[in-house]
C-alpha cells in the first residue's frame, strides 16, 4: 500500500511543515501523519484551506515508506527536504534518519 | 529620458574603484525598501495572496527554495567596499545561519531567510548602498565583468566604467522590465577573457582604437542552460558614443521578436539561432538607425566623470620586483606555492592582484562565514584600498596589494582558513547550490565538489596538474557553467535517482568552446572516480606544457571515454 504525507512551507519564516495528527502542522517529518491514497484527499483539502487562510504555501503530497527509524520519503529531493541539507550536518532536521551519506 | 539624465555622475570621491550612490540613489532604494515592507505586511496579514505577492518578492530578490526563503543581493560587477562586505557579514550573522554564498553571477545569496525579516535586511543593506533589485525576473540582471578590472597587467580598457554605465542604463529601464526572459550582459576589457562573455546574452569586449578611442566588439546570443550556444559576433566596432544606442536596439529587437510563447525558447540565443545572426544584425541596424541621435548618444563628459571614479588608487612608486616577496618565497615553500596559483600580475609595478580562494579542501565552493567576510573586509582596508571583488568563479579578490605585504596577508588569510593555494586549479571548483538548497535541482552538486576536492587535497598534486577548471550544475539550468568547464558535471534525475553527465573540453575564455559528453551518465558514487580517471589520463598523455583543453583537442574524447568506461566503450 502506498503511503503519503502532506507537506507545506510556513508563510512567515519559510520553514518546512508536515501535517500531523489532529491537523496540526509539525516541523519534523517524524511527527507527520501518514495517509493512504484515500486518506490523502481530505488532508490535501485541509492544506488548501490553510493556504486560503494565509498560514502556509506550497502544499503537496510526498510519498513515503516506513523505515526502521520512521517515515522516509522515496525521492532524494524529498529526503533532503525532510532531513536537511547533506552538506551541513549542524543544519540537519533529523540526522539519525538522514542516511544520505553525510 | 535621454542618456544625459539617465546616466548620472557620482557625487562622492572615496575608496578606490567604488562607485558611490548619490542622494537620489539612496532616496530611491530607501523608498523601495519601504514599499516592500508594506507589501510584506500585506502578505502576512493575508491582504495579498501568494500569487499576488510572488512577483513582488521576486522583484526584491526573494525566492522560495527547498528549505526556506533565499535572498539574492546584487553586487554590481562584483565590486564592493569593505563597509559593504561588513554589512553582508552582519546579514549572515543576524538573519541567516552565519554564512553567505557567492555566486557565478558575482552576487551573494543567503539560504535561510525569514520572510518577516526580509524588509529589515534590505533596509540594513540600503544603508550601505546595496539592494536586491533586478536579481530576479525577466529583466537585465547584474552586469558582470573581469574580477581584475583596473588592475590586470593585460587590461586594455577598464570595463568597470562601462559596466557602471550599463548598470545605470539598465536599472529600472521602463521598456526592459518585462522582457521575454532574463537577460545577462558581461563585459571584458582584456585580451584574455575572464568574464566569460561568450556565454552571455550580450558579451562585450572593450577595445582601444586609433588615437586611444574606445570601441566595443559585441557578441549576442550566448548562453548555457538546456540549449547551450556561444555568442555570435554582432558588431566588430561600436564607437563609445553609440554603445547605449546599440544595446537599446538589440534589446528592442529581442523584446519584439523574442519568443514569449515558450519559456524554453525565450532567451535571445534561440532568436539568434532561429533567425540567424545576419538577419538579426539587419534588424538591430535598422532599429539603431531609427533611434540614433542625441537621446542615446553617450556623452564623453559623462564617461569621463564616471571614469574618474574608477581612477587608480594612490599607488606607491615601487620597484617591479619586491625583495621582501622574493625572500619570503625562497624561505617558505607553502607561501611560494600560494604565490604561484593565487597572484595575478598587476599593471602597477610592485603590486599584485590576490585571489582569495573560497575553495578550501572539502569546503563548500563560494561559501564564506560572517567571520571570514569581516576578516576579508579588514584585510581589504589594510592592504587593498578598502575594496573587494567577487569573481564569477566564486572567489574573492583583493585587487591592489603591495608585493611587500603579500607574506603578511597570506599569514592572516591562513588564520581564517582563506589561504587555499588552488586558484584556477583542480580544487577551485565552481558549483551551484544543487539539490541541497535549490528547488529546481535534479541532483546534488556541493557534496560532490567536496568529495572531488578531498581527492585532490594534496596541493602539490594540484600544482603538478596545473590549471584545470571543474564546473558543476545540479540541473540543466547550468548556473554552475558546466558546459564550459575543462571537466563539466551536470546532475540529471533518472527516475528519482541522482545521476551525472560528464563533459570535457569546454572553456569560457576567448577560445570559448562547449564541452563534449564523455559517455553515459554515472551514479553519484562514481563521479569522483571518473574525475580522477580523466585527470590521470590527462597526466599520462599530455605533451610538454600542454593544457587539458589542448590534450583533449589533440587526442580527442575517445581515449578519455575508454579510460572511464573501459576499452569496449
Ligand atoms: S543549475 Fe539548477 S540546481 Fe543549480 S542553482 Fe541553477 S537552477 Fe538550481
Amino acid at each position: 500500500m502506498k503511503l503519503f504525507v502532506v507537506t507545506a512551507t510556513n508563510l512567515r519564516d519559510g520553514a518546512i511543515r508536515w501535517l500531523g495528527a489532529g491537523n496540526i502542522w509539525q516541523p519534523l517529518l517524524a511527527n507527520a501523519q501518514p495517509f493512504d491514497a484515500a486518506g490523502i484527499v481530505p488532508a490535501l483539502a485541509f492544506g488548501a484551506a490553510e493556504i486560503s487562510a494565509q498560514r502556509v504555501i506550497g502544499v503537496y503530497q510526498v510519498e513515503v515508506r516506513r523505515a526502521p527509524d520512521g517515515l522516509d520519503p522515496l525521492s532524494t529531493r524529498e529526503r533532503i527536504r525532510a532531513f536537511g541539507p547533506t552538506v551541513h550536518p549542524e543544519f540537519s532536521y533529523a540526522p539519525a534518519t538522514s542516511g544520505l551519506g553525510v | 529620458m535621454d542618456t544625459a539624465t539617465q546616466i548620472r555622475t557620482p557625487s562622492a570621491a572615496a575608496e578606490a574603484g567604488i562607485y558611490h550612490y548619490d542622494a537620489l540613489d539612496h532616496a530611491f532604494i530607501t523608498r523601495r525598501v519601504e514599499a516592500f515592507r508594506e507589501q510584506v505586511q500585506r502578505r502576512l496579514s493575508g491582504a495579498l495572496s501568494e500569487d499576488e505577492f510572488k512577483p513582488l518578492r521576486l522583484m526584491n530578490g526573494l525566492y522560495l527554495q527547498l528549505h526556506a526563503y533565499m535572498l539574492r543581493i546584487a553586487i554590481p560587477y562584483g565590486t564592493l567596499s569593505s563597509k559593504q562586505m561588513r554589512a553582508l557579514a552582519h546579514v549572515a550573522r543576524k538573519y541567516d545561519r552565519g554564512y553567505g554564498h557567492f555566486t557565478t553571477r558575482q552576487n551573494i545569496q543567503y539560504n535561510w531567510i525569514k520572510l518577516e525579516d526580509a524588509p529589515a535586511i534590505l533596509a540594513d543593506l540600503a544603508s550601505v548602498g546595496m539592494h536586491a533589485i533586478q536579481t530576479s525576473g525577466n529583466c537585465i540582471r547584474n552586469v558582470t565583468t573581469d574580477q581584475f578590472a583596473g588592475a590586470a597587467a593585460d587590461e586594455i580598457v577598464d570595463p568597470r566604467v562601462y559596466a557602471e554605465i550599463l548598470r545605470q542604463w539598465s536599472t529600472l529601464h521602463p521598456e526592459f522590465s518585462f522582457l521575454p526572459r532574463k537577460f545577462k550582459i558581461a563585459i571584458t576589457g582584456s585580451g584574455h577573457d575572464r568574464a566569460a562573455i561568450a556565454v552571455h546574452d550580450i558579451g562585450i569586449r572593450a577595445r582601444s582604437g586609433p588615437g586611444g578611442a574606445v570601441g566595443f566588439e559585441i557578441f549576442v546570443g550566448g548562453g548555457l542552460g538546456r540549449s547551450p550556444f556561444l555568442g555570435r559576433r554582432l558588431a566588430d566596432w561600436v564607437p563609445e558614443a553609440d554603445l547605449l544606442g546599440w544595446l537599446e536596439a538589440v534589446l528592442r529587437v529581442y523584446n519584439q521578436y523574442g519568443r514569449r510563447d515558450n519559456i524554453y525558447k525565450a532567451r535571445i540565443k534561440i532568436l539568434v539561432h532561429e533567425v540567424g545572426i545576419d538577419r538579426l544584425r539587419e534588424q538591430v541596424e535598422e532599429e539603431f538607425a531609427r533611434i540614433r541621435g542625441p537621446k542615446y548618444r553617450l556623452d564623453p563628459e559623462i564617461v569621463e566623470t564616471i571614469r574618474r571614479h574608477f581612477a587608480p588608487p594612490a599607488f606607491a612608486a615601487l620597484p617591479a620586483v619586491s625583495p621582501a616577496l622574493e625572500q619570503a618565497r625562497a624561505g617558505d615553500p607553502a607561501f611560494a606555492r600560494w604565490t604561484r596559483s593565487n597572484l595575478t600580475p598587476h599593471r602597477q609595478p610592485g603590486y599584485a592582484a590576490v585571489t582569495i580562494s573560497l575553495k578550501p579542501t572539502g569546503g563548500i565552493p563560494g561559501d564564506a562565514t560572517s567571520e571570514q567576510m569581516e576578516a576579508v573586509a579588514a584585510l581589504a582596508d589594510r592592504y587593498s584600498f578598502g575594496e573587494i571583488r567577487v569573481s564569477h568563479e566564486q572567489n574573492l579578490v583583493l585587487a591592489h596589494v603591495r608585493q611587500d605585504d603579500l607574506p603578511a596577508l597570506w599569514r592572516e588569510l591562513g588564520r581564517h582558513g582563506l589561504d587555499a593555494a588552488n586558484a584556477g586549479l583542480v580544487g577551485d571548483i565552481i558549483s551551484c547550490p544543487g539539490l541541497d538548497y535549490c528547488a529546481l535541482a535534479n541532483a546534488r552538486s556541493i557534496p560532490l565538489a567536496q568529495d572531488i576536492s578531498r581527492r585532490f587535497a594534496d596541493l602539490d598534486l594540484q600544482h603538478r596538474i596545473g590549471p584545470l577548471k571543474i564546473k558543476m550544475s545540479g540541473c540543466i539550468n547550468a548556473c554552475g557553467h558546466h558546459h564550459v568547464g575543462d571537466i563539466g558535471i551536470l546532475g540529471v534525475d533518472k527516475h528519482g535517482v541522482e545521476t551525472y553527465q560528464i563533459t570535457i573540453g569546454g572553456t569560457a575564455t576567448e577560445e570559448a568552446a562547449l564541452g563534449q559528453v564523455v559517455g553515459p551518465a554515472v551514479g553519484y558514487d562514481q563521479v569522483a572516480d571518473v574525475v580522477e580517471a580523466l585527470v590521470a589520463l590527462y597526466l599520462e598523455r599530455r605533451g610538454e606544457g600542454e593544457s587539458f583543453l589542448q590534450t583533449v583537442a589533440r587526442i580527442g574524447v575517445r581515449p578519455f571515454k575508454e579510460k572511464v568506461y573501459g576499452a569496449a566503450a
Side-chain angles (χ1 to χ4, degrees):
Chain A
M1 184 184 68
K2 287 191 173 187
L3 268 191
F4 302 93
V5 293
V6 174
T7 187
T9 296
N10 196 37
L11 169 64
R12 192 163 279 275
D13 60 8
I16 294 162
R17 291 287 178 263
W18 305 92
L19 191 60
N23 279 347
I24 309 241
W25 291 109
Q26 298 286 348
L28 294 177
L29 172 64
N31 299 321
Q33 172 75 48
F35 301 98
D36 60 16
I40 195 74
V41 177
L44 287 170
F46 174 79
E50 288 286 278
I51 291 178
S52 300
Q54 314 298 351
R55 274 191 281 274
V56 295
I57 50 179
V59 173
Y60 63 98
Q61 68 186 56
V62 173
E63 189 172 356
V64 295
R65 66 186 178 97
R66 284 191 202 280
D69 293 331
L71 296 173
D72 194 8
L74 299 194
S75 78
T76 307
R77 180 187 197 276
E78 292 306 332
R79 299 193 76 216
I80 290 172
R81 191 163 173 277
F83 302 131
T86 63
V87 294
H88 271 297
E90 70 275 30
F91 298 162
S92 177
Y93 306 127
T97 55
S98 77
L100 281 163
V102 181
Chain B
M1 196 181 353
D2 65 20
T3 304
T5 51
Q6 208 171 336
I7 309 295
R8 282 172 294 102
T9 52
S11 58
E15 298 102 327
I18 306 287
Y19 181 87
H20 285 266
Y21 280 4
D22 61 17
L24 194 70
D25 294 304
H26 279 292
F28 165 69
I29 57 173
T30 304
R31 273 203 310 277
R32 177 75 175 238
V33 171
E34 290 318 309
F36 189 53
R37 194 187 299 280
E38 194 190 311
Q39 289 156 3
V40 170
Q41 273 315 319
R42 291 168 65 206
R43 176 69 186 112
L44 292 174
S45 74
L48 287 178
S49 70
E50 184 60 17
D51 284 347
E52 290 163 332
F53 178 66
K54 187 176 173 183
L56 300 173
R57 70 168 159 76
L58 287 175
M59 276 188 234
N60 290 283
L62 194 65
Y63 290 70
L64 188 59
Q65 289 288 37
L66 210 55
H67 302 283
Y69 292 97
M70 179 272 277
L71 184 62
R72 182 181 294 152
I73 305 298
I75 301 177
Y77 36 94
T79 300
L80 70 168
S81 68
S82 55
K83 188 174 168 187
Q84 291 173 323
M85 183 63 106
R86 286 190 183 91
L88 295 179
H90 155 80
V91 169
R93 181 177 290 119
K94 181 166 179 186
Y95 302 105
D96 200 271
R97 297 189 173 182
Y99 291 87
H101 177 74
F102 291 98
T103 75
T104 53
R105 304 231 64 254
Q106 300 181 305
N107 289 325
I108 188 169
Q109 295 180 178
Y110 297 100
N111 286 322
W112 299 95
I113 295 303
K114 295 182 171 74
L115 173 60
E116 56 196 352
D117 287 341
I121 297 171
L122 292 176
D124 289 354
L125 291 172
S127 72
V128 294
M130 300 189 86
H131 58 74
I133 298 165
Q134 290 182 212
T135 61
S136 173
N138 294 338
C139 54
I140 301 173
R141 305 285 189 90
N142 187 26
V143 175
T144 52
T145 194
D146 184 347
Q147 67 271 26
F148 302 122
D154 63 355
E155 183 171 282
I156 301 158
V157 175
D158 186 341
R160 294 171 302 174
V161 178
Y162 302 97
E164 172 56 29
I165 287 168
L166 296 184
R167 185 191 70 76
Q168 295 193 26
W169 163 74
S170 61
T171 299
L172 297 192
H173 192 306
E175 208 177 316
F176 305 140
S177 297
F178 294 98
L179 293 167
R181 200 73 180 88
K182 59 187 166 184
F183 203 92
K184 300 175 183 175
I185 301 176
I187 179 167
T188 181
S190 294
H192 177 45
D193 177 9
R194 287 174 288 259
I197 64 167
V199 294
H200 283 74
D201 296 286
I202 288 181
I204 304 172
R205 180 176 290 130
R207 292 178 10 204
S208 181
V214 172
F216 304 91
E217 193 178 359
I218 298 190
F219 298 83
V220 67
L224 299 174
R226 189 174 300 269
S227 312
F229 287 101
L230 299 177
R232 306 285 306 275
R233 185 182 284 105
L234 188 69
D236 286 332
W237 178 267
V238 171
E240 181 184 86
D242 292 339
L243 176 66
L244 293 185
W246 257 81
L247 296 189
E248 188 90 12
V250 174
L251 266 296
R252 283 183 165 201
V253 168
Y254 169 55
N255 213 6
Q256 184 167 1
Y257 298 114
R259 299 222 7 212
R260 292 177 186 269
D261 60 313
N262 182 339
I263 190 174
Y264 301 117
K265 298 192 172 180
R267 297 287 289 267
I268 196 171
K269 62 188 175 183
I270 302 296
L271 181 65
V272 174
H273 181 65
E274 288 183 350
V275 306
I277 187 69
D278 293 333
R279 177 71 192 120
L280 188 92
R281 188 180 297 111
E282 281 169 20
Q283 291 171 326
V284 169
E285 283 172 351
E286 275 166 28
E287 183 63 22
F288 177 66
R290 215 177 58 71
I291 65 175
R292 188 173 202 172
K295 184 172 175 185
Y296 293 108
R297 186 167 302 130
L298 191 49
D299 183 340
E301 271 185 38
I302 289 179
V303 178
E304 254 337 286
T305 314
I306 291 183
R307 192 189 312 284
R308 276 202 291 281
H309 220 66
F310 295 97
F315 290 125
L318 298 169
V321 177
S322 153
L325 171 61
E326 293 310 316
Q327 201 181 347
R329 267 183 175 144
D332 189 335
F335 172 68
R337 188 172 54 200
W338 178 79
T339 64
R340 281 197 297 278
S341 52
N342 292 42
L343 299 187
T344 297
H346 203 286
R347 60 197 316 170
Q348 178 72 19
Y351 284 79
V354 173
T355 297
I356 300 173
S357 169
L358 296 180
K359 321 288 176 65
T361 299
I364 296 179
D367 266 22
T369 64
S370 298
E371 290 72 25
Q372 286 176 321
M373 288 187 242
E374 280 161 354
V376 170
L379 294 173
D381 283 340
R382 201 169 323 149
Y383 296 116
S384 194
F385 302 94
E387 186 216 329
I388 300 145
R389 316 283 177 84
V390 181
S391 75
H392 86 269
E393 288 166 335
Q394 300 179 285
N395 292 316
L396 301 176
V397 167
L398 298 183
H400 313 292
V401 181
R402 274 182 190 226
Q403 292 180 12
D404 295 350
D405 290 335
L406 289 168
L409 171 64
W410 175 71
R411 279 192 298 275
E412 295 200 44
L413 288 172
R415 272 181 219 123
H416 301 282
L418 292 166
D419 62 343
N422 62 4
L425 304 180
V426 70
D428 185 4
I429 300 169
I430 289 183
S431 170
C432 79
L435 191 52
D436 279 294
Y437 292 100
C438 178
L440 300 174
N442 285 327
R444 284 173 289 168
S445 31
I446 296 171
L448 279 180
Q450 293 175 301
D451 203 8
I452 294 165
S453 107
R454 284 190 205 102
R455 297 282 182 105
F456 294 96
D458 176 356
L459 285 170
D460 288 330
L461 171 63
Q462 289 200 36
H463 280 251
R464 256 199 324 281
I465 295 166
L468 200 158
K469 294 182 193 297
I470 297 179
K471 303 184 181 181
M472 198 178 315
S473 308
C475 81
I476 196 66
N477 287 326
C479 303
H481 297 186
H482 63 275
H483 297 289
V484 286
D486 287 304
I487 299 175
I489 303 169
L490 163 66
V492 186
D493 177 282
K494 250 195 188 157
H495 313 298
V497 178
E498 298 166 291
T499 55
Y500 296 85
Q501 192 179 77
I502 315 284
T503 49
I504 58 171
T507 175
T509 65
E510 60 281 6
E511 283 149 9
L514 300 171
Q516 303 171 63
V517 175
V518 179
V522 300
Y524 179 92
D525 293 332
Q526 296 162 289
V527 174
D529 291 341
V530 170
V531 170
E532 271 193 323
L534 294 171
V535 174
L537 185 82
Y538 163 58
L539 293 180
E540 276 165 44
R541 301 288 299 270
R542 73 176 168 187
E544 183 67 29
E546 200 175 57
S547 70
F548 187 88
L549 281 180
Q550 289 165 333
T551 304
V552 173
R554 180 172 57 79
I555 70 176
V557 173
R558 186 157 196 92
F560 289 93
K561 185 174 182 179
E562 287 173 0
K563 180 83 176 179
V564 172
Y565 300 95

